[in-house]
Amino acid sequence: MQRERLLKVLVIGDLGVGKTAIIRRYVHQVFSHHYRATIGVDFALKVLHWNQGTVIRLQLWDIAGQERYGNMTRVYYREAVGALVVFDMTRASTLQAVLKWKGDLDAKVALCNGQPVPAVLLANKCDQQRQGLCAKIPKLESFSKEQGFLGWYETSAKDNTNIDKAIMCLVEHIMAGE
Ligand code: GTP
Ligand code: MG
């Protein structure tokens, strides 16, 4: 008998950091330089054959960066079991915004057992390193620990760097906690 698990995972972070691009890369293996802001929320589904007995239906909730200024996040966050919090390595302001997003998440949702929803930090657009990364980005190891993230990854939706790894880190943690 196959066991099926539905996991709701949020993808949050400021405008234009690459949330939609990361999801499109992960689910559809495509990337586009064209930017169209997400309105409200979008959804994507990835089916993972986890092990012999288990299929995971990973439901990714792609929440518009604009929603930080709206009042719908409480509704979108309901029943989430994990989150990817994304910033853009070339814009320090988007790392500042990670504090706001993580705070919003922890204030509005928790696991059934009262624990915070596990979250992984994604430093996206690492392919732009040659154009000079923002010097104001602090040491992510300590930042990520202080802010209660499971871990952090430098990612690129463009070059397909570390996206699978970051999502696997989150899913493995979620499945281990079941
Ligand atoms: P909102 O929907 O407004 O919240 O933005 P978003 O976080 O979904 O950003 P989106 O994925 O639409 O990406 C914004 C822009 O950044 C687009 O032009 C993408 O092509 C570009 N982009 C996203 N990821 C990367 C990346 O890893 N490297 C580079 N070079 N560009 C990226
Ligand atoms: Mg988007």
Side-chain angles (χ1 to χ4, degrees), residues 11-24 31-40 42 62-67 86 88 90-91 101 123-128 131 155-161 163:
V11 185
I12 56 180
D14 256 4
L15 275 171
V17 296
K19 301 176 295 295
T20 301
I22 287 167
I23 292 170
R24 282 171 52 80
F31 175 80
S32 156
H33 281 287
H34 178 73
Y35 173 42
R36 201 179 66 201
T38 304
I39 308 294
D42 266 337
D62 177 9
I63 294 170
Q66 287 175 355
E67 290 296 315
V86 185
D88 174 346
T90 67
R91 287 187 291 144
W101 283 103
N124 193 41
K125 307 197 188 180
C126 70
D127 58 275
Q128 295 205 322
Q131 276 100 302
T155 61
S156 165
K158 179 166 177 265
D159 292 352
N160 195 17
T161 309
I163 290 173

Side-chain angles (χ1 to χ4, degrees), residues 17 27 31 39 43 48-49 58 61 67 86 89 93 97 100 104 113 116 124-125 133 136 140 145 157 164 167-168 175:
V17 296
V27 176
F31 175 80
I39 308 294
F43 306 94
L48 300 172
H49 297 275
L58 185 63
W61 286 52
E67 290 296 315
V86 185
M89 291 190 85
S93 66
K100 310 249 169 63
D104 192 52
N113 61 12
N124 193 41
K125 307 197 188 180
L133 286 179
K136 291 196 204 107
L140 288 174
K145 282 216 178 83
D164 284 4
I167 297 176
M168 275 310 109
M175 294 304 283

